Amino acid sequence: MADKMEMRECYGQALVEAGRENEKIVVLEADLRKSTMGELFRQEFPERLFEVGIAEQNMIGMAAGFALTGWTAVANSFAVFASGRAFEQIRQSIALPRLNVKIGGSSGGLTDTGDGATHQSIADLAIMRSLPNMTVLCPADGIETKQAVQAMLELDGPVYIRIGRIEAPTLYDEDYKFELGKIVVMRPGEDVTLAAAGTMVGVALEAAKLLAKDGIDARVLNVHTLKPLDEGAILAAARETAGIVTVEEHNIIGGLGSAVAEVVSAADGGPVVRVGVADVFGQSSNCYEELLAAYGLTPENVRSKARSLLQKK
Amino acid sequence: MADQKLVQELEEKAKTIRRGIVDMIGDARRGHLGGSLSIADIVAVLYYHTMRLSPGDPTWEDRDRFLLSKGHAALAQYAALIDLGYIPQEEMYKLKDLGSMTQGHPDMRKTPGIEAGTGSLGQGLSVGVGMALGLRLAGKDSRVYVIIGDGELNEGQIWEAAMAAAHYELDNLVAFVDYNGLQATGPTKESMGTDPLPDKWAAFGWHVINIDGHDIGQILDALEEAATVRKQPVMIIAKTVKGKGVSFAENVAGYHHAAMTTEQYKQALAELA
């Protein structure tokens, strides 16, 4: 297994593999198919790939039309446009009638590093999570991306999936089994919990190694499904450790941190500290790691937040 | 020229629909009277003549599809669906009640015969484009009919869909503009001018037909012509009167969404008798 895999490639390949198994899958693209890697699907199934031009709102409406005539429709764009530009179309035309449409949010988080704030997506998980009937997925590596795509296509209903524009460190091997809605304990631990989603799962694992050097035993959770949230695993972590540090490549408002805090506070379950983009917009950088560091999305910052949480207890 | 007997039958059905719209609002509720009345004749021709349907089997896979992009005019569609037996008769008097099938805007999960979720304006044509493509890809000869409001043409998404329909040469897609000249606030010309409508749609690559949207014969002829068009979507621009058939509501923007007094309700029913 390669130690790094391009998530977009894995996404595109997974769509192709699904397309071979299931003739009822169509893919819609808004002039970004060479970035989302829906292009791979076009190469093999040109008759089932529909280019709509730079028109995300119409793309979502068309995806609804395909779903209403018996197709499983996958509509891809950059996460910021797929979830934002077409939010209202997703709300009325997809989520409300509970249609079998999958929305691929590519270049999620800060992973469109160079393009800057306009193209970075730090609100997509919050807004997609707010829609009734919507399932929200955020896979952590290439292996999980492939399996999450398979799982979303097996589900009859609306799904939003966020994909990063990076070579993500490979966390899983091929015999990993993705279970929609079920948190994966990446590392057991009793002192503190690091709950991460997507590209931040790797960062949380690094943070756990740093904490281990400090003598702190951190549990690491991969919350690949933000909705429906695996409340049992969150509450167990809240109960069994001193508190939860959430880590996400997203605004600290509305995403994973909020989702975890909602569950924990309802159960009076102890502290939740949110690591994420602190309610500011992104910016350009020529280096992804530099950009992550500028917003505190580093193992060192996660370690420091976990340590201060433990000190307050 | 359309058969006169058929025209008369459909005129009666249009009256049935208009009476249904008026009954749904009655003298105790508020509803979208004007824009429902303006499409009654088109809805009558589609539901009672043109569309291939099976009222006993609302999800029959070979049916034609009807989308009301201007979803607030759902009363016209509900009236037809009630008359045809898709929706139980008692729903006529439950408009917008909690748990009713006659929701303020059409909801496919709540109401038999409704094909999508519409009402937030500008979205229905895109859904129609996807349906037309989906049907063609599946090798089905079903056709898709969409009614758009003229105020709704302010929405940019309409024009995205217009481009896509022509790009994909969707000759199984027929759209109507309910060109009644009024929107929620007042005259469409004052809110946002949309003229010249026929030129705009023609420039976007559509086959355009202009008709009087209250002349059943013209609606029938237009749909017959539409069925012969190849490799182009068809836009039927139907000049209509908002509130048509109820004299006090005709061409009055205030009846976009309104209540009626008991006297007005009685008068409206009398005018539609």
Side-chain angles (χ1 to χ4, degrees):
Chain A
M1 188 52 51
D3 52 348
K4 285 189 166 190
M5 292 168 87
E6 175 72 63
M7 292 177 87
R8 301 180 291 166
E9 291 274 344
C10 294
Y11 179 73
Q13 286 162 5
L15 289 179
V16 170
E17 281 161 29
R20 287 180 192 143
E21 297 289 313
N22 182 351
E23 292 181 348
K24 296 302 282 184
I25 293 171
V26 294
V27 176
L28 294 93
E29 291 282 351
D31 198 34
L32 288 172
R33 64 174 195 259
K34 291 180 180 170
S35 290
T36 65
M37 297 315 289
E39 174 64 8
L40 298 176
F41 193 88
R42 190 197 65 81
Q43 286 167 7
E44 188 153 336
F45 308 108
E47 70 290 350
R48 283 196 273 151
L49 185 293
F50 294 88
E51 178 59 63
V52 306
I54 310 164
E56 297 79 13
Q57 303 169 61
N58 184 47
M59 173 173 72
I60 292 298
M62 285 175 60
F66 273 104
L68 287 164
T69 47
W71 300 88
T72 298
V74 181
N76 297 322
S77 183
F78 282 4
V80 68
F81 310 131
S83 67
R85 184 62 166 267
F87 168 74
E88 222 269 307
Q89 285 72 20
I90 296 171
R91 182 190 68 86
Q92 169 171 282
S93 292
I94 309 292
L96 173 61
R98 213 168 60 242
L99 297 184
N100 197 18
V101 172
K102 319 301 171 187
I103 298 146
S106 200
S107 291
L110 302 172
T111 62
D112 190 358
T113 307
D115 280 330
T118 55
H119 285 54
Q120 292 161 355
S121 182
I122 56 166
D124 55 327
L125 300 174
I127 57 187
M128 288 296 105
R129 202 168 72 81
S130 74
L131 287 172
N133 296 332
M134 184 63 72
T135 292
V136 180
L137 303 180
C138 188
D141 74 350
I143 302 281
E144 189 165 69
T145 295
K146 287 185 180 180
Q147 294 202 20
V149 168
Q150 206 177 340
M152 80 170 182
L153 290 168
E154 282 165 11
L155 186 82
D156 182 12
V159 178
Y160 175 79
I161 185 167
R162 181 204 248 207
I163 304 296
R165 185 193 182 95
I166 52 163
E167 284 193 323
T170 302
L171 307 176
Y172 291 106
D173 48 37
E174 289 285 2
D175 58 15
Y176 169 62
K177 188 79 197 85
F178 176 88
E179 279 183 80
L180 198 142
K182 193 146 177 51
I183 281 174
V184 182
V185 180
M186 305 294 287
R187 182 186 191 284
E190 300 303 321
D191 294 334
V192 68
T193 299
L194 311 177
T199 46
M200 289 297 106
V201 175
V203 169
L205 284 167
E206 289 302 314
K209 282 186 202 163
L210 297 177
L211 287 163
K213 286 183 193 158
D214 302 337
I216 296 167
D217 185 22
R219 181 180 304 186
V220 177
L221 304 181
N222 173 10
V223 192
H224 52 61
T225 306
L226 270 83
K227 189 183 175 187
L229 189 62
D230 183 350
E231 299 190 2
I234 297 287
L235 289 175
R239 207 167 45 237
E240 292 160 12
T241 70
I244 301 175
V245 180
T246 60
V247 196
E248 60 192 315
E249 202 176 318
H250 188 276
N251 196 337
I252 53 168
I253 296 174
L256 173 68
S258 295
V260 168
E262 286 157 17
V263 171
V264 170
S265 68
D268 198 15
V272 174
V273 174
R274 295 165 298 151
V275 175
V277 179
D279 199 25
V280 292
F281 284 105
Q283 59 184 306
S284 290
S285 166
N286 284 306
C287 171
Y288 176 57
E289 285 71 22
E290 177 190 57
L291 193 58
L292 292 181
Y295 294 97
L297 301 174
T298 58
E300 293 75 17
N301 187 41
V302 174
R303 170 174 70 170
S304 130
K305 289 291 191 299
R307 287 182 59 124
S308 46
L309 183 151
L310 285 164
Q311 274 157 17
K312 278 183 199 151
K313 281 293 267 197
Chain B
M1 276 295 286
D3 168 354
Q4 277 317 296
K5 187 164 167 289
L6 174 64
V7 169
Q8 278 169 14
E9 280 171 20
L10 292 172
E11 281 171 351
E12 279 309 308
K13 287 299 180 188
K15 252 188 205 176
T16 303
I17 289 173
R18 286 196 167 90
R19 281 195 299 271
I21 294 165
V22 166
D23 264 339
M24 275 182 239
I25 297 173
D27 57 359
R29 288 163 207 269
R30 292 169 63 82
H32 286 100
L33 183 66
S36 298
L37 289 169
S38 64
I39 62 168
D41 302 290
I42 297 164
V43 170
V45 174
L46 287 173
Y47 268 97
Y48 294 95
H49 178 72
T50 304
M51 288 201 295
R52 190 167 70 194
L53 296 170
S54 174
D57 183 9
T59 58
W60 175 45
E61 68 170 340
D62 290 325
R63 71 194 183 282
D64 290 337
R65 310 300 207 275
F66 174 82
L67 295 169
L68 193 54
S69 191
K70 47 170 289 185
H72 57 275
L75 279 67
Q77 189 180 9
Y78 293 154
L81 293 174
I82 289 169
D83 186 56
L84 287 164
Y86 287 83
I87 302 176
Q89 184 71 34
E90 63 263 26
E91 292 287 329
M92 182 82 93
Y93 305 100
K94 292 184 184 171
L95 181 67
K96 301 191 222 178
D97 283 358
L98 192 67
S100 73
M101 285 186 182
T102 44
Q103 293 284 302
H105 290 86
D107 183 335
M108 62 172 277
R109 295 293 179 189
K110 292 196 162 66
T111 313
I114 300 296
E115 298 282 4
T118 55
S120 168
L121 296 173
Q123 300 189 25
L125 189 58
S126 296
V127 177
V129 169
M131 279 182 162
L133 267 174
L135 290 165
R136 186 169 80 186
L137 190 61
K140 300 277 184 195
D141 65 352
S142 299
R143 295 170 67 77
V144 180
Y145 298 91
V146 186
I147 298 182
I148 310 165
D150 56 351
E152 192 179 5
L153 300 178
N154 302 163
E155 294 277 10
Q157 189 186 349
I158 290 286
W159 303 99
E160 294 182 3
M163 275 186 272
H167 177 83
Y168 283 105
E169 302 180 333
L170 295 177
D171 53 20
N172 55 347
L173 176 68
V174 177
F176 288 84
V177 168
D178 175 27
Y179 192 16
N180 63 34
L182 291 176
Q183 54 198 89
T185 306
T188 297
K189 278 185 184 355
E190 290 175 17
S191 289
M192 182 51 62
T194 45
D195 291 337
L197 269 193
D199 299 359
K200 283 192 169 120
W201 287 95
F204 273 72
W206 288 56
H207 178 93
V208 178
I209 305 172
N210 293 286
I211 62 165
D212 173 348
H214 301 308
D215 183 320
I216 297 283
Q218 287 190 32
I219 300 170
L220 284 166
D221 290 345
L223 285 164
E224 219 164 277
E225 179 180 332
T228 66
V229 174
R230 294 289 169 266
K231 299 206 165 207
Q232 263 188 310
V234 174
M235 171 53 72
I236 301 174
I237 297 175
K239 189 79 198 73
T240 56
V241 173
K242 198 158 180 171
K244 177 73 177 178
V246 174
S247 58
F248 57 83
E250 286 192 3
N251 277 322
V252 181
Y255 283 93
H256 172 79
H257 185 252
M260 288 181 284
T261 63
T262 305
E263 240 167 53
Q264 284 179 319
Y265 174 40
K266 283 182 184 160
Q267 182 190 333
L269 283 182
E271 288 178 9
L272 295 168

